[in-house]
Amino acid sequence: MAVIAQVINASKEFKSGDSVIVALKPSSMDLETGKVTLILGPSGSGKTTLLSLIGCVIYPTSGEVIIDGVSTRDLSANKMAKIRLNKIGFVFQQFNLLAPLSAEQNIMLPLTLLGVPDGEARERVKTALQKVNMSHRAKSLPKMLSGGEQQRIAIARALVTDPPIMLCDEPTASLDTNSAHVVMEELKLLAAEGKAVAIVTHDMRLKPYADEIVYVEGGQISKTEINQPI
């Protein structure tokens, strides 16, 4: 295991008119490869802001975020975008699959953005589908898939670029218990293969699957505990 991302006394404030909204107070955490890290807290606690900092979606107001040895503090927007594309896979609650495209076409999109040649891209899509046990659904449109199946396609799309970091925002909130279990088992397997998997959630069903749990309350990290995963 190795530290792939660091949040060092990072905070985030947003201006709204004459007011300043503190979304995250100075907080620190490490994200390690080979682990499933659960970022747990109620709505409005700051956990999604923390995930957005790690995901290079926003810049910290103070402090520092380091991704694979690179500080994001002074990076241009283009360089931040390159880190997102090359280092980070995103999985969202609403799946964000494009309705007119088949499962394999949705998975292909990040590779198209990277300019990967067609032959190599097709092989990587095939491998990604195999990893989430969805090869039999490659030609299916999203509307033909269950919620759990759509989420597994979303995971395949996130991992097709082979990023070292997988960030998941409420990936099981709209899934039944069985589908949530299948999705979490897929994410555990990715961590076992050496990826750093971070999951933001208020879904208490996910606690047993985590190696580490980071609790966020009142706009800051309140504590971190090592868990005994199932």
Side-chain angles (χ1 to χ4, degrees), residues 4-176:
I4 189 71
Q6 293 175 283
V7 178
I8 305 171
N9 290 323
S11 69
K12 185 62 183 178
E13 297 177 354
F14 297 97
K15 288 186 177 180
S16 178
D18 294 330
S19 302
V20 174
I21 298 169
V22 180
L24 187 72
K25 299 173 186 175
S27 296
S28 299
M29 67 169 285
D30 291 343
L31 193 62
E32 294 184 55
T33 57
K35 278 187 177 182
V36 173
T37 299
L38 210 62
I39 301 174
L40 198 62
S43 297
S45 61
K47 61 187 187 299
T48 298
T49 301
L50 179 60
L51 193 77
S52 297
L53 287 170
I54 298 170
C56 298
V57 176
I58 56 176
Y59 294 91
T61 302
S62 65
E64 195 166 20
V65 178
I66 299 174
I67 305 297
D68 202 11
V70 176
S71 173
T72 66
R73 185 167 50 192
D74 299 317
L75 291 184
S76 67
N78 283 341
K79 288 182 178 179
M80 283 276 272
K82 285 182 179 179
I83 288 182
R84 288 196 301 271
L85 195 56
N86 290 284
K87 300 290 185 182
I88 301 164
F90 291 94
V91 181
F92 303 97
Q93 177 183 346
Q94 299 302 327
F95 320 132
N96 291 349
L97 301 179
L98 297 181
L101 302 184
S102 68
E104 63 183 1
Q105 288 170 328
N106 268 283
I107 297 167
M108 182 81 73
L109 282 175
L111 300 179
T112 301
L113 291 172
L114 284 170
V116 176
D118 286 349
E120 180 186 343
R122 282 193 292 271
E123 284 302 310
R124 288 167 72 169
V125 169
K126 182 179 177 181
T127 298
L129 281 163
Q130 289 171 345
K131 282 188 175 182
V132 296
N133 297 305
M134 288 292 286
S135 299
H136 62 295
R137 289 300 223 164
K139 304 295 184 183
S140 299
L141 294 174
K143 67 181 181 181
M144 300 164 64
L145 304 173
S146 69
E149 287 174 332
Q150 289 187 57
Q151 192 59 286
R152 288 157 73 187
I153 294 300
I155 291 171
R157 181 182 57 191
L159 66 85
V160 74
T161 58
D162 197 27
I165 301 169
M166 294 282 286
L167 301 181
C168 310
D169 192 0
E170 299 285 5
T172 60
S174 58
L175 302 181
D176 59 54

